[in-house]
Amino acid sequence: MGKVGAAGGSPARLSALLAGAGLLVLCVPGACGGGSCCPQLPPGSAPRWAPTPGGFLRPGPRGRAAATPLPLLGRPLFAVAPGDRALSLERAPGTGASEAVAPRSGRRRRSEAGPGKAERGEGASRSPRGVLRDGGQQEPGTLERDPDKATRFRMEELRLTSTTFALTGDSAHNQAMVHWSGHNSSVILILTKLYDYNLGSITESSLWRSTDYGTTYEKLNDKVGLKTILSYLYVCPTNKRKIMLLTDPEIESSLLISSDEGATYQKYRLNFYIQSLLFHPKQEDWILAYSQDQKLYSSAEFGRRWQLIQEGVVPNRFYWSVMGSNKEPDLVHLEARTVDGHSQYLTCRMQNCTEANRNKPFPGYIDPDSLIVQDDYVFVQLTSGGRPHYYVSYRRNAFAQMKLPKYALPKDMHVISTDENQVFAAVQEWNQNDTYNLYISDTRGVYFTLALENVQSSRGPEGNIMIDLYEVAGIKGMFLANKKIDNQVKTFITYNKGRDWRLLQAPDTDLRGDPVHCLLPYCSLHLHLKVSENPYTSGIIASRDTAPSIIVASGNIGSELSDSDISMFVSSDAGNTWRQIFEEEHSVLYLDQGGVLVAMKHTSLPIRHLWLSFDEGRSWSKYSFTSIPLFVDGVLGEPGEETLIMTVFGHFSHRSEWQLVKVDYKSIFDRRCAEEDYRPWQLHSQGEACIMGAKRIYKKRKSERKCMQGKYAGAMESEPCVCTEADFDCDYGYERHSNGQCLPAFWFNPSSLSKDCSLGQSYLNSTGYRKVVSNNCTDGVREQYTAKPQKCPGKAPRGLRIVTADGKLTAEQGHNVTLMVQLEEGDVQRTLIQVDFGDGIAVSYVNLSSMEDGIKHVYHNVGIFRVTVQVDNSLGSDSAVLYLHVTCPLEHVHLSLPFVTTKNKEVNATAVLWPSQVGTLTYVWWYGNNTEPLITLEGSISFKFTSEGMNTITVQVSAGNAILQDTKTIAVYEEFRSLRLSFSPNLDDYNPDIPEWRRDISRVIKKSLVEATGIPSQHILVAVLPGLPTAAELFVLPFQDPTGENKQSAEDLEQISELLIHKLNQNSVHFELKPGVQILVHAAHLTAAPLVDLTPTHSGSAMLMLLSVVFVGLAVFVIYKFKRKIPGINVYAQMQNEKEREMVSRVSHPESRAHIPQTELRRPGQLIDEKVECQLIGE
């Protein structure tokens, strides 16, 4: 993972390096006014510290093998340390200064002259701010100067050898990307672009090439095509001679490939738009390309031909196989989305990634955007029960759940480092908001112990998390962290991977040599740990592998870290002591393997001077690098840091061309260093020489010798130390107490470590301690503190549990469900396990080890099943029960009820399901004007309407995670009539028996009736019924105008019915189905309902009246039947109930639901067109 520091980049602010290729990526939001004008961060662009929602497993900021450069805006000046291969820089529109900011920096500061601020001359030091005593209070009258401890500045101006070259014709270009191959190569490539912020695209570009370390440049536009607009520059990390250029995809999608360090190019057309590239860490011609439509392509010919690997790949979640962990170097790891939106972890070969050849190393789905493949580890996240669970695979073995302290209850995790076979992770626990706890793992990455609590974090402008942790380069196990204590942020240092931490001792004197009284723990030195590969930002910290003892950082002295009064400090003994070197922010670069420190002042004004130190920052000399003051846009040192050439990029004014100043420091030295120019230096921590179990001695150049080191001079001698208690950390489940002992936590049972072994076998019984990973100590207390092999004790089964693999209590019918049997204690090898699935099937196992992958079972029926497990051995037994809900997906809900009913009559509403057997269901009903729903476990309810009008009834059916709904409308009247309609037989030939056809035919029939009779349409409701032969219901409804007057009586409805029947019997109602196809509409029979209540709870007089009305009804029936030859009168409710028995059945009767034809299930759109019998209903 590399250095953490600013623990993250974001789409709008990040810096990264092409591993080995050196493409520095920078982007700062807000440069275009209100929002960010930076393009979207492409996946694969180095810091893998991706901005994701809380609770997601997120990687640390280690760079990938390739990165996509981005435009940037920001600070007036920034610098790239030697060894950085390339940078991307940009000028701010409408200002005199170019700006740039390194994205991993969490804070931005601008040093410039303004109202009330006098700009001091370069290098001029200010008066000391005073002596600090007891937490930073100034105590007058106690100043004592110590000139030997003061930082010395030589004000005599010296001249560096330099040449200047102008990129003529590119004055309007506001972005530049620079690549310097280095390592004995004199070639420098520069791509300049004009980015139009209004259009959001690149409108011009130029490609320049130098073959003399930047003394002169040649413009190559004619070699790549005069009309070609270039967008990005890539360099193969394993062969610097291979260059790749991308054209602007808005104009054309092409690649330009060079195999001679950019001298000549070949163009290749693409049929997709590249968003990012990922080079193989070993094979120079193997590349992965991620397209804008989320497809992943591979090329084995350095981009000349491409092959599709996978669609739906998650951005930034694809990786090459890690050498050593995978046998196949062409294996690709990726996270892909399924059609239904789930994410899964896949692996396949780059040239053979068919469905049959893809593997799924993690069973089931994973949380979106959570796959990390890093060194020997693979991490995924799976959320269940509202909690994230993290899984790790070490060296591609089976996944195991990562074990944090039991009550850590993480809500967010970042994998910071996987160096040296150990995982360093930052975890935000349930009770933390702006801080994280640091945890460190065992070798397998499974068991984690606490390293440091409450490390400060901050959120970037795009929501990314930045954690204040920095790993010092060149010294393994050494970290700096900013910890929050009582709302104060303080800087701590560790030399043994978090085993012990201490505050930083402030310098003894200030810049002028005056004493600084700063007493621990009330006052100390605090540093800004916002890391960037580009050190020229506010709050920088920098170290180099080739200069292991030198650390340069900005910070302050006092009781806590502050954003004001920032000074620059340097340590030349690996953090034991510090010196103040500048009172203002500077960018400090390492040259000549750290033998030379170069400092440039942070300023928005043009400069022509810089400062050099040859003695690790003790003294500084002033040098001019240009005769004309330059607005500095960036600085690039030659990769490898073996030579002393640096290029400064800038401009004389806003409208001038890019000026490239080549600075050669070799003239400063008159010879190379010899053996006698070096002295030994021993790494230590406050005098303790044994660090990480060894004494390490480095070679350092003597401060008074001004010679050029050339190749890395920091050769090291190492001698192991005798092990002491300080070389051991607390093991998992143990906590360090005030007396220094590691004792079991209240939640941890040490005997649980033996639960996975059997009688006669042995296990490692923890002593409560484990040696810090990569610690090289020997002998001493090593034997005492190391876990001991111990015979497994015989134990009766205890703590038996049975759960599903995904933690859910539901399973799907016809699909495998995986059951996991967990046992806290017991002899796993000599235990009989019996599992009864509750569906008549049971299995037995002779030991738990045979069930490590779970027990798979398929349920063929829905329902609630009682799953029991019984565990027995010679010492006892235990049992557990799981109630498992087996369901099948609910596909459709149809609400069945009459279209018309009478006031104060009970109405039956039934929810009909497809499929009919889906398991445990919950029904939620809304009807009438009720605002509160009725919740039932039955699929049928009865209710009444007390007023006339149109009423809506809605039912929602909850089945597992699915909720389906249907809504119907029912008309409520005091009385109405219904008439059954039939049609000429030829209509059946055109009836597909689908709801849409029935709705359309109903509308046509109603129109024909209105035209034939002249009856207002408000009186007529037509519904074609499902099935053959084709039939329909005609409802004759009362209607009153909006004033409430002119409401029709029973006699009016009778007259309308007679008119309708008269026209129907005369064959006056017909319609044309299609040209030449006439359909006649006939009357089948008419029904009516009594106007009284039929319930049996009335008094005797009411019953007499009821009987009278019944006899009158029968008389009417006789008259209609024999005199008018029309259908007989019947009670609507009776006929309707008969129809319901034909069409639908109650959900509470599962034996009948299975026989419901799917064609009879109706959807919410079928409110008025299906299922009606024609009757008269009234009070």
Side-chain angles (χ1 to χ4, degrees):
M1 298 290 293
K3 302 175 179 59
V4 178
S10 75
R13 173 176 292 186
L14 60 105
S15 70
L17 288 176
L18 256 127
L23 214 50
L24 182 60
V25 182
L26 299 170
C27 186
V28 174
C32 306
S36 171
C37 51
C38 304
Q40 178 68 29
L41 170 66
S45 52
R48 309 222 304 262
W49 202 243
T52 52
F56 277 19
L57 183 66
R58 287 179 267 182
R62 161 174 271 182
R64 294 166 70 97
T68 300
L70 294 176
L72 66 151
L73 285 175
R75 213 177 223 319
L77 174 143
F78 72 91
V80 177
D84 296 347
R85 308 294 192 274
L87 60 87
S88 173
L89 49 97
E90 183 167 346
R91 282 189 257 181
T95 65
S98 293
E99 297 190 343
V101 165
R104 288 194 203 164
S105 170
R107 302 178 179 89
R108 296 179 61 229
R109 291 178 55 83
R110 182 183 292 267
S111 174
E112 60 184 24
K117 292 194 232 175
E119 179 68 19
R120 284 181 289 275
E122 298 175 47
S125 61
R126 296 182 289 185
S127 299
R129 295 188 175 93
V131 178
L132 301 175
R133 181 183 299 276
D134 293 339
Q137 297 297 322
Q138 183 171 347
E139 186 173 335
T142 61
L143 295 178
E144 296 181 5
R145 302 184 95 186
D146 186 350
D148 293 333
K149 292 186 178 181
T151 301
R152 299 182 297 275
F153 291 89
R154 180 179 177 180
M155 301 307 296
E156 176 188 356
E157 181 176 313
L158 303 175
R159 176 74 182 175
L160 290 169
T161 303
S162 64
T163 58
T164 302
F165 186 89
L167 301 184
T168 306
D170 290 352
S171 61
H173 291 192
N174 53 9
Q175 295 179 1
M177 298 176 60
V178 186
H179 165 72
W180 192 346
S181 294
H183 303 288
N184 300 319
S185 173
S186 61
V187 174
I188 301 176
L189 289 173
I190 300 179
L191 172 62
T192 65
K193 300 177 288 184
L194 173 58
Y195 186 84
D196 190 316
Y197 293 106
N198 295 321
L199 298 177
S201 62
I202 302 167
T203 56
E204 294 180 18
S205 68
S206 295
L207 182 64
W208 300 81
R209 184 173 185 262
S210 172
T211 58
D212 51 12
Y213 289 98
T215 303
T216 60
Y217 289 84
E218 176 189 4
K219 197 170 187 177
L220 302 182
N221 284 28
D222 56 338
K223 294 187 178 181
V224 299
L226 293 176
K227 295 184 178 180
T228 299
I229 296 180
L230 302 175
S231 58
Y232 297 123
L233 166 68
Y234 289 91
V235 182
C236 175
T238 54
N239 184 353
K240 302 299 189 302
R241 296 182 59 83
K242 292 190 174 183
I243 309 294
M244 183 179 292
L245 297 170
L246 264 63
T247 60
D248 186 358
E250 294 189 5
I251 298 177
E252 63 172 327
S253 183
S254 300
L255 283 175
L256 287 95
I257 297 175
S258 173
S259 299
D260 51 11
E261 285 191 283
T264 59
Y265 293 89
Q266 292 177 309
K267 180 180 283 191
Y268 295 87
R269 298 283 183 180
L270 297 172
N271 59 1
F272 62 96
Y273 298 110
I274 292 179
Q275 184 169 330
S276 64
L277 297 177
L278 183 63
F279 291 88
H280 194 277
K282 298 292 184 181
Q283 301 292 332
E284 62 184 53
D285 290 334
W286 293 5
I287 308 174
L288 297 178
Y290 187 78
S291 68
Q292 294 181 3
D293 56 354
Q294 298 188 341
K295 295 179 181 179
L296 188 64
Y297 296 83
S298 68
S299 174
E301 302 176 47
F302 200 72
R304 292 172 176 84
R305 291 183 180 85
W306 295 92
Q307 180 176 331
L308 177 65
I309 291 182
Q310 175 72 34
E311 299 182 2
V313 177
V314 177
N316 203 29
R317 301 294 176 178
F318 51 92
Y319 310 83
W320 282 111
S321 169
V322 179
M323 303 302 292
S325 295
N326 297 97
K327 298 179 180 179
E328 307 92 346
D330 61 342
L331 192 68
V332 178
H333 304 258
L334 58 92
E335 178 183 332
R337 289 195 179 96
T338 60
V339 177
D340 53 1
H342 293 99
S343 288
Q344 55 185 356
Y345 167 33
L346 305 176
T347 60
C348 64
R349 310 290 286 270
M350 63 177 290
Q351 297 293 322
N352 187 19
C353 197
T354 61
E355 183 68 32
N357 293 315
R358 295 189 190 111
N359 293 318
K360 299 178 182 177
F362 185 82
Y365 298 125
I366 64 175
D367 285 353
D369 201 32
S370 70
L371 173 66
I372 302 171
V373 180
Q374 193 162 293
D375 297 327
D376 286 336
Y377 301 90
V378 179
F379 304 92
V380 297
Q381 174 181 313
L382 181 63
T383 298
S384 62
R387 294 181 184 175
H389 301 279
Y390 306 100
Y391 295 84
V392 61
S393 167
Y394 177 61
R395 293 186 174 175
R396 310 307 179 258
N397 291 316
F399 278 88
Q401 186 170 349
M402 298 164 67
K403 301 291 186 180
L404 294 166
K406 185 174 182 179
Y407 296 106
L409 304 179
K411 56 184 181 181
D412 191 20
M413 176 183 285
H414 298 264
V415 175
I416 293 176
S417 170
T418 53
D419 296 335
E420 300 176 335
N421 294 323
Q422 190 172 40
V423 180
F424 215 155
V427 177
Q428 188 171 64
E429 300 186 11
W430 65 273
N431 57 350
Q432 294 178 306
N433 293 317
D434 59 350
T435 60
Y436 281 72
N437 290 349
L438 296 181
Y439 284 90
I440 197 162
S441 78
D442 61 349
T443 300
R444 294 190 303 129
V446 175
Y447 292 100
F448 285 78
T449 57
L450 182 66
L452 184 65
E453 290 183 297
N454 296 321
V455 177
Q456 176 70 10
S457 71
S458 57
R459 191 169 292 275
E462 300 296 324
N464 58 300
I465 298 297
M466 300 182 291
I467 299 174
D468 281 8
L469 177 69
Y470 179 78
E471 183 178 4
V472 179
I475 302 177
K476 67 177 182 178
M478 183 175 175
F479 290 85
L480 290 160
N482 284 331
K483 179 179 179 178
K484 193 172 185 179
I485 305 175
D486 297 330
N487 292 322
Q488 290 185 327
V489 178
K490 302 174 183 287
T491 300
F492 287 77
I493 189 171
T494 181
Y495 294 86
N496 51 10
K497 277 197 172 180
R499 171 23 176 111
D500 301 291
W501 296 84
R502 63 172 175 83
L503 293 167
L504 296 180
Q505 177 65 59
D508 295 332
T509 62
D510 63 10
L511 197 61
R512 299 174 56 190
D514 297 325
V516 175
H517 298 279
C518 183
L519 302 179
L520 293 172
Y522 311 104
C523 171
S524 59
L525 175 64
H526 310 285
L527 304 178
H528 292 283
L529 303 180
K530 307 300 181 185
V531 173
S532 171
E533 297 294 343
N534 169 6
Y536 197 93
T537 58
S538 173
I540 65 162
I541 183 168
S543 60
R544 292 290 181 272
D545 289 326
T546 56
S549 64
I550 303 175
I551 308 170
V552 181
S554 67
N556 64 281
I557 299 172
S559 60
E560 63 177 322
L561 183 66
S562 172
D563 287 331
S564 60
D565 296 332
I566 295 179
S567 299
M568 299 298 300
F569 298 89
V570 65
S571 175
S572 57
D573 57 2
N576 286 280
T577 61
W578 296 80
R579 293 187 304 277
Q580 185 181 11
I581 54 176
F582 296 105
E583 284 188 323
E584 293 175 311
E585 292 181 83
H586 282 65
S587 170
V588 179
L589 289 80
Y590 291 66
L591 290 180
D592 190 31
Q593 314 296 348
V596 180
L597 299 180
V598 182
M600 280 189 176
K601 183 180 178 182
H602 285 200
T603 177
S604 61
L605 301 176
I607 61 174
R608 64 186 190 91
H609 300 101
L610 49 78
W611 295 89
L612 295 182
S613 175
F614 302 92
D615 54 6
E616 300 175 341
R618 294 178 178 85
S619 62
W620 296 83
S621 300
K622 186 177 183 180
Y623 286 81
S624 64
F625 64 92
T626 177
S627 58
I628 303 175
L630 186 74
F631 290 102
V632 177
D633 301 315
V635 181
L636 182 64
E638 181 183 4
E641 305 178 25
E642 296 180 4
T643 60
L644 295 167
I645 296 176
M646 184 177 75
T647 300
V648 181
F649 306 88
H651 56 286
F652 296 132
S653 67
H654 173 58
R655 298 193 177 277
S656 68
E657 289 87 359
W658 293 91
Q659 304 293 324
L660 308 180
V661 182
K662 172 189 172 184
V663 184
D664 193 340
Y665 295 90
K666 285 185 293 186
S667 60
I668 300 175
F669 303 100
D670 53 6
R671 64 183 181 87
R672 284 188 173 270
C673 294
E675 188 66 29
E676 60 270 16
D677 295 315
Y678 294 95
R679 64 178 177 86
W681 174 78
Q682 186 172 57
L683 173 66
H684 66 95
S685 170
Q686 300 298 301
E688 174 56 53
C690 285
I691 295 179
M692 293 293 288
K695 297 178 180 179
R696 296 180 178 85
I697 299 177
Y698 297 83
K699 287 173 58 177
K700 296 182 70 171
R701 192 183 64 186
K702 297 177 181 178
S703 59
E704 67 274 10
R705 302 297 175 88
K706 194 176 179 181
C707 57
M708 183 173 64
Q709 296 188 122
K711 292 196 177 290
Y712 175 47
M716 183 185 68
E717 299 177 6
S718 180
E719 176 186 346
C721 296
V722 175
C723 291
T724 66
E725 188 270 343
D727 298 305
F728 290 81
D729 206 348
C730 291
D731 203 352
Y732 174 77
Y734 291 79
E735 297 174 336
R736 190 176 302 278
H737 287 243
S738 56
N739 60 1
Q741 288 186 325
C742 294
L743 301 176
F746 75 92
W747 50 265
F748 182 67
N749 180 11
S751 65
S752 64
L753 297 175
S754 64
K755 68 183 180 67
D756 293 331
C757 68
S758 299
L759 189 65
Q761 297 181 338
S762 62
Y763 72 101
L764 289 177
N765 186 18
S766 175
T767 62
Y769 299 84
R770 70 183 184 194
K771 195 168 77 166
V772 176
V773 175
S774 301
N775 187 294
N776 297 319
C777 73
T778 59
D779 301 330
V781 299
R782 179 179 179 180
E783 182 67 21
Q784 175 185 345
Y785 280 29
T786 301
K788 306 293 191 300
Q790 187 169 325
K791 292 293 183 180
C792 296
K795 293 184 178 181
R798 189 182 68 83
L800 180 65
R801 293 178 63 220
I802 182 169
V803 296
T804 59
D806 57 5
K808 298 179 180 179
L809 297 176
T810 60
E812 192 170 327
Q813 177 190 9
H815 290 72
N816 265 322
V817 57
T818 302
L819 299 172
M820 311 296 294
V821 176
Q822 301 171 352
L823 187 65
E824 286 188 10
E825 290 185 359
D827 189 345
V828 297
Q829 296 296 328
R830 302 172 185 268
T831 300
L832 176 66
I833 303 100
Q834 302 178 64
V835 181
D836 187 340
F837 297 106
D839 61 349
I841 299 176
V843 294
S844 297
Y845 297 88
V846 295
N847 58 65
L848 276 176
S849 59
S850 61
M851 304 163 55
E852 289 180 351
D853 296 330
I855 308 170
K856 291 181 170 54
H857 185 66
V858 176
Y859 286 91
H860 298 286
N861 297 308
V862 299
I864 303 176
F865 294 88
R866 186 175 186 268
V867 185
T868 60
V869 58
Q870 176 82 20
V871 177
D872 298 275
N873 66 15
S874 58
L875 300 176
S877 63
D878 198 2
S879 61
V881 177
L882 171 69
Y883 294 97
L884 186 65
H885 294 244
V886 178
T887 64
C888 69
L890 180 61
E891 299 178 9
H892 177 69
V893 173
H894 166 68
L895 180 59
S896 174
L897 77 163
F899 286 98
V900 186
T901 187
T902 61
K903 188 170 60 174
N904 293 322
K905 284 288 187 178
E906 277 199 351
V907 177
N908 292 325
T910 302
V912 184
L913 311 179
W914 181 263
S916 59
Q917 306 254 355
V918 293
T920 307
L921 302 172
T922 303
Y923 300 84
V924 184
W925 307 83
W926 283 270
Y927 57 90
N929 296 322
N930 294 342
T931 58
E932 293 296 328
L934 174 65
I935 301 175
T936 69
L937 297 178
E938 294 290 334
S940 181
I941 62 170
S942 298
F943 48 86
K944 298 178 181 179
F945 294 103
T946 59
S947 60
E948 290 187 283
M950 303 300 292
N951 291 272
T952 299
I953 301 176
T954 298
V955 62
Q956 289 183 339
V957 183
S958 175
N961 294 327
I963 297 179
L964 275 68
Q965 172 178 304
D966 192 13
T967 300
K968 289 288 191 296
T969 299
I970 184 171
V972 180
Y973 296 102
E974 289 187 357
E975 57 180 345
F976 64 89
R977 280 179 172 75
S978 66
L979 179 66
R980 178 63 65 91
L981 302 178
S982 60
F983 306 92
S984 51
N986 57 344
L987 181 60
D988 293 344
D989 298 335
Y990 301 95
N991 184 355
D993 200 18
I994 60 175
E996 293 85 350
W997 185 87
R998 291 193 289 269
R999 282 197 297 270
D1000 290 337
I1001 293 299
S1002 297
R1003 187 175 61 254
V1004 173
I1005 298 170
K1006 178 177 179 178
K1007 181 180 178 182
S1008 302
L1009 288 167
V1010 171
E1011 292 176 350
T1013 62
I1015 298 173
S1017 61
Q1018 294 88 343
H1019 286 290
I1020 297 176
L1021 175 64
V1022 177
V1024 175
L1025 303 177
L1028 295 173
T1030 308
E1033 293 274 4
L1034 168 61
F1035 290 92
V1036 182
L1037 306 176
F1039 173 74
Q1040 63 184 28
D1041 55 32
T1043 63
E1045 300 177 355
N1046 302 324
K1047 181 178 179 181
Q1048 280 75 19
S1049 63
E1051 292 77 9
D1052 297 328
L1053 295 180
E1054 186 67 29
Q1055 293 176 6
I1056 295 173
S1057 300
E1058 292 178 1
L1059 177 59
L1060 285 168
I1061 295 171
H1062 176 70
K1063 292 294 185 181
L1064 289 168
N1065 289 338
Q1066 289 184 342
N1067 295 331
S1068 299
V1069 183
H1070 54 82
F1071 60 91
E1072 188 176 50
L1073 184 65
K1074 58 188 298 185
V1077 179
Q1078 289 288 332
I1079 304 297
L1080 290 176
V1081 184
H1082 308 285
H1085 61 271
L1086 176 70
T1087 60
L1091 303 177
V1092 296
D1093 196 339
L1094 296 179
T1095 57
T1097 58
H1098 295 284
S1099 62
S1101 59
M1103 291 301 297
L1104 290 175
M1105 182 179 295
L1106 172 61
L1107 293 174
S1108 301
V1109 173
V1110 170
F1111 284 119
V1112 172
L1114 290 175
V1116 173
F1117 171 78
V1118 172
I1119 293 172
Y1120 275 93
K1121 185 70 176 175
F1122 299 101
K1123 294 293 180 102
R1124 304 184 62 87
K1125 306 298 184 183
I1126 61 177
I1129 298 173
N1130 201 350
V1131 179
Y1132 173 83
Q1134 295 176 359
M1135 295 190 65
Q1136 181 62 26
N1137 287 337
E1138 293 173 1
K1139 180 172 178 58
E1140 285 184 0
R1141 284 193 292 271
E1142 296 171 3
M1143 296 181 58
V1144 299
S1145 58
R1146 293 173 58 88
V1147 178
S1148 58
H1149 299 160
E1151 67 277 2
S1152 61
R1153 284 184 294 177
H1155 305 288
I1156 301 171
Q1158 187 172 5
T1159 57
E1160 296 184 7
L1161 297 175
R1162 285 168 300 281
R1163 296 175 173 80
Q1166 303 167 243
L1167 271 71
I1168 312 290
D1169 63 334
E1170 302 177 33
K1171 181 181 176 321
V1172 201
E1173 290 283 351
C1174 238
Q1175 300 88 6
L1176 171 64
I1177 293 183
E1179 288 186 344

